[in-house]
Amino acid sequence: MTAPDKRAGGLNAFRIALNELRRLSAGTLPKLAMAALVLVPLLYASFYLYANYDPYGRLDKLPAAVFTSDAGAKDSTGATRNVGREVTDELVKSGTFQWHEVSEQDARDGVRDDKYSFAIGIPRDFSTALLSSGNFTPQQATITLTTNDANNYLAGTIAKQVADQVRKTIAEKVGGEAADRFLVGFSTIYGKISDAANGAKQLADGAARLQTGQHQLADGASQLATGSGTLATGLNTLKSSTAQLPSQTQQLATGAGQVADGNQQVADAASLAASASSDIQGKLDGYRAQLNTDLHNAGLSDTQVNGILAQLDQLRSPVDQANTKIQTANGDLAKLASGARQVSDGAHQLAAATPQLTNGIAQASDGANQLRDGAAKLDDGEKTAVTGTDQLANGANQLRDGLSSGLSQIPNPDDPTRTATANTIADPVAVTANGVASAGTYGAGLAPFFISLATWIGAFVLFLLIRPLSTRALTAGAAPLRVALGGWLSSAVLGIAQVIVLFAAVTWLVGIHIAHPLGAIGFAILVSLAFTSVVHALNAFFGAVGKFLGLVLLVLQLVSAGGTFPWQTIPDALYPLHVVLPMGYAIDGFRHLLYSGASLQILGDVAVLLAYLVGGIVLSTLAARKHRVWTVAKLKPELSL
């Protein structure tokens, strides 16, 4: 144990830190060394962030090859398409990369020889496969991606994203065209269904008229069946009644002939009587004339003669009357004989025609029976037809109503709507970026990690020159807390200078935007104070081994802090390191302050860093208390760095 020095009372923490800084700045070379220590974080972080500020914005400098062997194909309309050629031209014109259209062999050789970072190829059947769905022969199209991780792993990763984007773009394009044709088909269907609906309306109207006519026809068929039944019954009765008519007419003809013959005989006798009566009249006229002559010759006077002749005429009068009757009867009998002959001839004709008449009646009866049966069948058929016509009319009405109703449900978009719908079908989901906070560039995204890393490295290199504990203060018997604070304050001052210079370069030279500069600088100073406190404590407590432990902690924090990928993606075994070590909290705080501003979550980061700050000072105090005792190992250490 060393004895207390009387000068220890004048050595406070600030005096100890000031003495250490004077020691470091005594001379030109130490000053340059101290300036170099301040610039180490700047050189590390700012140059790295500058180099990686926006690599995605310079992808047009990345050489890439594209080739197409597509032979083209005909689409469903018969038009020839070469989608591979279209895709290739769009890629070359896009300028996203430094595209070179080459042959397939040159592309493969170029990727192998590091001439091209990657190559995208389109095979010969590309259009055929893409357009196959429109011809209902579906076949999946492919594009080839050639990468070489020996050239650059990230280039291959970017190439895979590019290939996927190309695939998505082609799928949207072809899908949009297919959907457009599909919707055009709907329009065609709409037109055809509209025509069909109009036709169905006409059919329904015609079916209604047919239904009315069919009902009228059915009524007529029913009346026909009834009438034909009555006709058949009557003709059957007539047939039965006229069955004996031929024999009866034959008998009638025979009797009429006999009557005609008898009447002829009577007529002949009457004719003879009439002739005889006429002869008697002639003779009587002759006798009267002879008597007149004889009486005149006898000398009778005319008066006497006329008187005698008058008496004679009076006597003759019955004979004249009888002659008149005979002559009249003779004429009547002649007519009777002639009429009887006509009746006989008619009866014979009737007898001759009666078989035909009866046959005709029989045929008419048979026809009437057939008509009756046919009319009955017609009536039954019409009843069935009426049912069918009713069903036809109902079906036509349902068809008309169904087509009219279905027509309103068939899409019939106009051209702009169809195009918008086809594009939506091809790419139904859009991503709306609604970031709570945005880093802006790749370099800005890495800034929290590299600023934190640079701050730790800056704290680490400080103790290549700074002594963690003042030997003078220890030998003077100063209080351990003063010695610890004095040793830490010198590194804290230089650490603050480091982060101020670093932030100035990052914002002004590199151009990284900081949402809240004052808050970010204040937090950076806290991070530097905490890191310098931890590294100071390691060096103070463990001596030369503390430098190695500081390096080990740097490595452990590199793999567990989650500076590049989210910390949840690290192996589970490293989770405790992320929770325990301070760099993860520093990165989290920087992200909030650089991108969006302070939040309640940053209070936790501040609390952890303050705990490390205080913990480092406590450990340094313990180290100062420990180093107040001088040992042989301390005077002659086994390892010195």
Side-chain angles (χ1 to χ4, degrees):
M1 173 75 68
T2 59
D5 194 328
K6 294 180 180 180
R7 296 172 296 175
L11 292 176
N12 56 32
F14 293 101
R15 187 68 176 270
I16 294 172
L18 183 60
N19 290 336
E20 182 65 17
L21 291 176
R22 286 175 178 174
R23 183 186 70 83
L24 293 176
S25 60
T28 303
L29 189 59
K31 291 179 181 178
L32 293 176
M34 188 169 61
L37 292 178
V38 172
L39 296 177
V40 165
L42 169 66
L43 297 175
Y44 181 81
S46 61
F47 276 106
Y48 191 94
L49 293 176
Y50 173 74
N52 294 275
Y53 178 72
D54 189 16
Y56 292 105
R58 296 179 58 83
L59 291 178
D60 58 342
K61 306 296 183 180
L62 191 66
V66 59
F67 65 87
T68 177
S69 305
D70 191 6
K74 291 185 177 180
D75 59 18
S76 58
T77 64
T80 301
R81 293 281 304 277
N82 192 318
V83 183
R85 181 74 268 162
E86 296 173 10
V87 172
T88 301
D89 292 342
E90 289 180 6
L91 281 178
V92 173
K93 292 178 181 178
S94 67
T96 52
F97 294 90
Q98 192 183 99
W99 290 105
H100 299 271
E101 184 177 356
V102 297
S103 66
E104 181 176 359
Q105 188 60 46
D106 289 343
R108 297 184 185 279
D109 293 343
V111 173
R112 183 193 61 206
D113 299 336
D114 198 17
K115 182 178 180 181
Y116 306 119
S117 299
F118 61 90
I120 291 179
I122 300 175
R124 182 176 181 82
D125 61 345
F126 188 70
S127 293
T128 301
L130 277 180
L131 302 175
S132 60
S133 298
N135 301 321
F136 295 99
T137 56
Q139 178 183 351
Q140 190 175 37
T142 59
I143 58 176
T144 60
L145 173 65
T146 305
T147 60
N148 186 357
D149 287 349
N151 297 335
N152 188 289
Y153 173 76
L154 287 180
T157 303
I158 294 172
K160 292 175 183 177
Q161 295 178 351
V162 172
D164 185 68
Q165 185 62 40
V166 170
R167 180 200 61 77
K168 180 181 177 183
T169 302
I170 295 172
E172 291 175 2
K173 179 178 181 180
V174 175
E177 294 175 354
D180 185 71
R181 289 195 298 270
F182 180 71
L183 294 175
V184 168
F186 267 127
S187 297
T188 303
I189 293 173
Y190 182 90
K192 299 299 182 183
I193 294 297
S194 178
D195 295 340
N198 293 331
K201 184 178 182 302
Q202 296 175 356
L203 175 62
D205 295 340
R209 292 194 294 270
L210 175 62
Q211 185 182 28
T212 301
Q214 192 65 52
H215 279 279
Q216 294 174 350
L217 180 60
D219 294 339
S222 178
Q223 295 174 1
L224 175 63
T226 303
S228 62
T230 303
L231 176 63
T233 301
L235 286 176
N236 287 333
T237 303
L238 179 62
K239 178 181 177 181
S240 300
S241 301
T242 58
Q244 302 299 322
L245 186 61
S247 60
Q248 293 174 351
T249 55
Q250 187 60 45
Q251 293 175 359
L252 176 62
T254 301
Q258 293 174 354
V259 171
D261 291 341
N263 287 336
Q264 188 61 45
Q265 292 176 359
V266 172
D268 290 342
S271 178
L272 291 174
S275 296
S277 177
S278 294
D279 290 341
I280 292 172
Q281 285 291 330
K283 289 179 178 181
L284 289 176
D285 288 338
Y287 291 154
R288 185 180 184 282
Q290 187 63 43
L291 179 59
N292 182 35
T293 302
D294 289 340
L295 290 176
H296 279 91
N297 289 330
L300 294 176
S301 62
D302 291 333
T303 303
Q304 293 175 334
V305 171
N306 288 336
I308 295 170
L309 290 174
Q311 292 178 356
L312 180 63
D313 290 338
Q314 192 173 14
L315 293 173
R316 183 184 172 185
S317 176
V319 176
D320 290 338
Q321 292 177 353
N323 179 61
T324 300
K325 292 180 179 180
I326 290 171
Q327 293 300 326
T328 301
N330 180 50
D332 292 337
L333 289 174
K335 290 179 181 179
L336 177 61
S338 176
R341 180 56 59 192
Q342 291 176 354
V343 170
S344 176
D345 293 341
H348 281 87
Q349 291 176 354
L350 175 62
T354 298
Q356 295 179 350
L357 175 62
T358 55
N359 290 335
I361 291 173
Q363 291 176 357
S365 177
D366 294 340
N369 290 331
Q370 293 176 356
L371 176 62
R372 178 196 62 200
D373 297 339
K377 293 180 180 179
L378 175 62
D379 185 43
D380 294 337
E382 280 303 314
K383 291 178 181 178
T384 304
V386 166
T387 302
T389 304
D390 291 340
Q391 293 175 350
L392 174 63
N394 293 333
N397 290 332
Q398 292 175 358
L399 177 62
R400 177 198 60 200
D401 297 340
L403 287 175
S404 299
S405 176
L407 187 64
S408 62
Q409 299 178 13
I410 297 176
N412 185 31
D414 54 20
D415 291 344
T417 303
R418 186 179 68 248
T419 301
T421 303
N423 293 335
T424 302
I425 292 174
D427 188 17
V429 179
V431 177
T432 300
N434 187 20
V436 176
S438 175
T441 63
Y442 180 77
L446 292 179
F449 174 58
F450 282 101
I451 291 174
S452 300
L453 183 60
T455 304
W456 183 275
I457 293 174
F460 179 83
V461 298
L462 285 177
F463 291 96
L464 296 178
L465 295 178
I466 296 176
R467 292 179 301 188
L469 297 176
S470 173
T471 305
R472 178 183 174 187
L474 288 173
T475 57
L481 179 58
R482 292 181 183 180
V483 176
L485 287 175
W488 168 70
L489 283 175
S490 58
S491 63
V493 171
L494 294 178
I496 292 172
Q498 287 177 336
V499 294
I500 291 176
V501 172
L502 173 60
F503 262 80
V506 166
T507 54
W508 296 337
L509 298 180
V510 179
I512 293 177
H513 175 72
I514 299 176
H516 292 269
L518 294 179
I521 293 175
F523 186 78
I525 292 174
L526 174 61
V527 171
S528 177
L529 295 177
F531 286 179
T532 53
S533 175
V534 172
V535 177
H536 172 258
L538 293 175
N539 282 273
F541 197 88
F542 297 102
V545 177
K547 293 182 175 61
F548 175 74
L549 293 177
L551 185 60
V552 170
L553 283 179
L554 173 62
V555 174
L556 293 178
Q557 292 181 111
L558 284 175
V559 299
S560 65
T564 53
F565 290 94
W567 68 267
Q568 292 86 349
T569 61
I570 63 177
D572 292 348
L574 299 179
Y575 277 18
L577 293 178
H578 175 80
V579 174
V580 171
L581 297 178
M583 189 175 291
Y585 299 94
I587 293 172
D588 184 70
F590 278 129
R591 282 174 176 160
H592 284 86
L593 292 167
L594 266 62
Y595 305 151
S596 62
S599 66
L600 294 178
Q601 185 175 350
I602 199 175
L603 297 179
D605 301 324
V606 171
V608 171
L609 292 173
L610 286 174
Y612 267 97
L613 172 59
V614 174
I617 294 174
V618 171
L619 185 60
S620 299
T621 303
L622 294 177
R625 182 181 296 276
K626 173 184 174 183
H627 285 294
R628 294 178 69 181
V629 178
W630 294 86
T631 63
V632 176
K634 182 179 179 181
L635 295 174
K636 293 183 178 181
E638 295 181 7
L639 179 64
S640 178
L641 297 177

